[in-house]
Amino acid sequence: MSVSFPPGFLWGTATAAYQIEGAVREDGRTPSIWDTFSHTPGKVENGDTGDIAVDHFHRRTQDVRLMAQLGVNAYRFSVSWPRVQPTGRGPAVQRGLDFYRGLVDDLLEHGITPLLTLYHWDLPQELETAGGWPERDTAHRFADYARIVAEALGDRVVRWTTLNEPWCSAFLGYGSGVHAPGRTDPVAALRAAHHLNLGHGLAAQALRTQLPARAQVSVSINPSAVRARTQSPADLDARRRIDALANRVFTDPMLHGSYPADLLADTERLTDWSFVHGDDLAVIRHPLDSLGINYYSPSVVSSTTDSDGPALERNDGHGASEHSPWPGADSVAFHQPPGDVTEMGWTIDPTGLYDLLMRYSREAPRLPLVITENGAAYPDKPAADGSVHDPERIRYLHGHLSAVYRAMADGADVRGYFLWSLMDNFEWAYGYGKRFGAVYVDYDTQARTPKSSARWYGELARTGVLPDC
């Protein structure tokens, strides 16, 4: 049976500024926390940094032309905060904004809809030195930055996203320390989560004041499809704890204007949450036009009291650290879900994406959904003729897009899908060792070669019909 997606569906690719741009010292840009983190010995595999990345800053026109040749109709990118507002305070650097003006103009010229993300983890280092996301002031600085970008690009960009994966920013950046800025304080992680929520709400308000009425405001979260290892009461409680920390710590205040009571109880030995002030929750619950969902793999959890020895290792897919990104959940063990895995070691399970789409369709039935990231890393290598074949990625995409179609048939209002990522790039703490791209990048020459998955995905984007795999 042919699987056809509706007309107007967004078919895009996605990237993030620090992962692709390079040019970290050009046109007034100053260091972000990821510049500092990647230059700290032992933090990133092979000592890799984003100093050059895939040189998108200088190859912007070529990369947009490549997107057009592939046939995608949308592109999700992020703005580098320290390129636009180097210290996180004060006026914009117009040369920095000019890069994004040019990028948006190139996209529109090729009929590609821009989706702009304001924050994809590159906090200006000066703001981190002043305390970072655990400090309330950072949320207000973020709103000022949002206003600056909206003033510059609001006449051309309709679709705006405040934050990308605030869970990673808070709990991997300040809890386990495997992401920048590399801090390991569970209370700081919880404070950061709240101030990211507050920053989202304040930025959404700032966008509304600057943008025309047709503009759409969203946020991209990476919710976890959390599953209990057994149906025992202890394992079900472990699932509840992780669901609160992975999902509801963001969606409850954003969608409902409150923090989960069970989360507050689970973490009361760590903090009294007095960093939540008067009208914070009303600000955070700013109306959204869509909700972005990033998905890669489900989680399986159990209570440590019901686990055997080997299962006690924290197998949550979020990097190795002696410090947990799960404050208040010391009694929870993570297990590798069954099934084939990608090169990241993440289990391939499209049912997790289906479950999340149906969950948020029920929780916010009038809120459209967009899959803002989904994809897989594989050890791609060019063949003798220079071509790059990645049938594993095509099977991965086919399975997950089939799950999206099934969710839509069952009532989920899904408006678009963004493949992570457009091209191989700097994959955070994994450096250049993991390739997620639809386009292969030779890091020595910066040559771009579309993989077979890029052509497969391009056909889907042009026709709306899911090709065979």
Side-chain angles (χ1 to χ4, degrees):
M1 182 183 70
S2 175
V3 172
S4 298
F5 287 81
F9 197 83
L10 292 174
W11 293 107
T13 57
T15 63
Y18 187 71
Q19 293 183 272
I20 67 167
E21 285 181 2
V24 296
R25 298 175 186 87
E26 294 192 33
D27 289 345
R29 184 190 181 279
T30 57
S32 73
I33 55 175
W34 269 97
D35 293 282
T36 302
F37 188 80
S38 65
H39 280 270
T40 302
K43 296 298 185 181
V44 176
E45 288 186 13
N46 302 312
D48 292 338
T49 74
D51 288 2
I52 299 173
V54 294
D55 198 32
H56 174 70
F57 185 82
H58 299 111
R59 299 168 187 265
R60 180 196 79 213
T61 302
Q62 170 192 349
D63 290 339
V64 173
R65 188 163 55 244
L66 180 57
M67 285 182 243
Q69 291 168 353
L70 294 178
V72 298
N73 61 26
Y75 176 54
R76 178 176 175 247
F77 66 96
S78 76
V79 173
S80 168
W81 189 348
R83 191 178 298 285
V84 166
Q85 193 189 30
T87 66
R89 292 183 171 85
V93 172
Q94 292 303 317
R95 290 174 297 171
L97 284 169
D98 285 344
F99 171 76
Y100 299 105
R101 291 186 180 105
L103 173 61
V104 169
D105 287 347
D106 288 348
L107 292 168
L108 295 175
E109 181 182 343
H110 286 87
I112 299 172
T113 298
L115 272 75
L116 186 154
T117 300
L118 287 166
Y119 186 73
H120 200 133
W121 307 353
D122 49 358
L123 184 71
Q125 179 58 45
E126 288 200 25
L127 290 185
E128 172 58 26
T129 301
W133 284 110
E135 295 300 318
R136 186 178 186 85
D137 184 62
T138 304
H140 292 278
R141 302 287 70 74
F142 180 59
D144 291 344
Y145 157 67
R147 191 174 296 108
I148 286 171
V149 181
E151 288 174 352
L153 297 173
D155 61 332
R156 282 162 283 187
V157 176
V158 173
R159 296 173 179 271
W160 294 75
T161 299
T162 55
L163 306 173
N164 177 79
E165 298 186 357
W167 186 87
C168 295
S169 297
F171 294 104
L172 300 184
Y174 294 92
S176 67
V178 299
H179 277 193
R183 289 162 62 179
T184 55
D185 179 345
V187 176
L190 292 168
R191 290 175 61 91
H194 174 65
H195 293 137
L196 283 154
N197 281 334
L198 180 61
H200 155 74
L202 291 169
Q205 289 181 342
L207 292 175
R208 298 289 189 196
T209 64
Q210 295 295 329
L211 298 175
R214 66 191 179 99
Q216 299 182 28
V217 177
S218 183
V219 65
S220 287
I221 58 174
N222 59 317
S224 179
V226 190
R227 295 163 178 173
R229 191 185 193 195
T230 74
Q231 294 302 297
S232 72
D235 284 2
L236 292 173
D237 188 65
R239 180 196 174 279
R240 176 198 62 75
R241 285 177 179 269
I242 298 305
D243 182 65
L245 284 165
N247 302 327
R248 290 181 284 124
V249 66
F250 298 108
T251 55
D252 273 24
M254 288 180 181
L255 301 179
H256 310 301
S258 63
Y259 280 107
D262 60 325
L263 171 67
L264 304 185
D266 290 344
T267 57
E268 63 182 357
R269 66 178 178 82
L270 296 171
T271 177
D272 61 3
W273 289 75
S274 58
F275 45 80
V276 181
H277 294 186
D279 64 347
D280 285 4
L281 290 164
V283 172
I284 295 167
R285 195 189 181 185
H286 189 89
L288 295 171
D289 297 300
S290 64
L291 179 66
I293 303 292
N294 296 357
Y295 173 80
Y296 293 93
S297 187
S299 299
V300 175
V301 299
S302 71
S303 167
T304 56
T305 58
D306 286 357
S307 299
D308 41 28
L312 296 180
E313 180 182 353
R314 181 170 57 79
N315 199 348
D316 62 3
H318 293 299
S321 172
E322 295 178 359
H323 303 273
S324 173
W326 306 103
D330 297 338
S331 62
V332 177
F334 287 80
H335 308 266
Q336 177 73 43
D340 294 335
V341 300
T342 68
E343 196 183 16
M344 296 291 289
W346 297 343
T347 297
I348 303 167
D349 188 346
T351 64
L353 178 56
Y354 172 86
D355 291 346
L356 290 170
L357 293 174
M358 299 311 299
R359 170 180 178 165
Y360 291 111
S361 293
R362 292 189 297 269
E363 186 170 339
R366 288 174 294 279
L367 187 63
L369 305 174
V370 177
I371 295 96
T372 41
E373 284 186 28
N374 178 236
Y378 288 104
D380 307 311
K381 294 181 180 179
D385 63 358
S387 61
V388 183
H389 299 286
D390 55 344
E392 303 92 347
R393 184 172 287 104
I394 292 174
R395 287 193 293 271
Y396 179 99
L397 296 176
H398 189 278
H400 285 77
L401 285 161
S402 296
V404 173
Y405 183 82
R406 182 162 70 96
M408 295 171 68
D410 289 344
D413 184 7
V414 184
R415 304 287 182 88
Y417 176 94
F418 287 78
L419 169 63
W420 186 268
S421 60
L422 170 62
M423 53 190 164
D424 300 332
N425 54 50
F426 177 82
E427 190 51 45
W428 307 114
Y430 295 97
Y432 296 99
K434 308 295 183 187
R435 294 181 177 269
F436 277 87
V439 174
Y440 182 89
V441 178
D442 182 321
Y443 295 124
D444 293 329
T445 66
Q446 296 293 351
R448 276 89 157 125
T449 303
K451 304 172 187 177
S452 52
S453 62
R455 293 188 291 274
W456 182 92
Y457 186 66
E459 179 185 347
L460 170 59
R462 286 187 294 271
T463 66
V465 178
L466 188 63
D468 293 333
C469 63

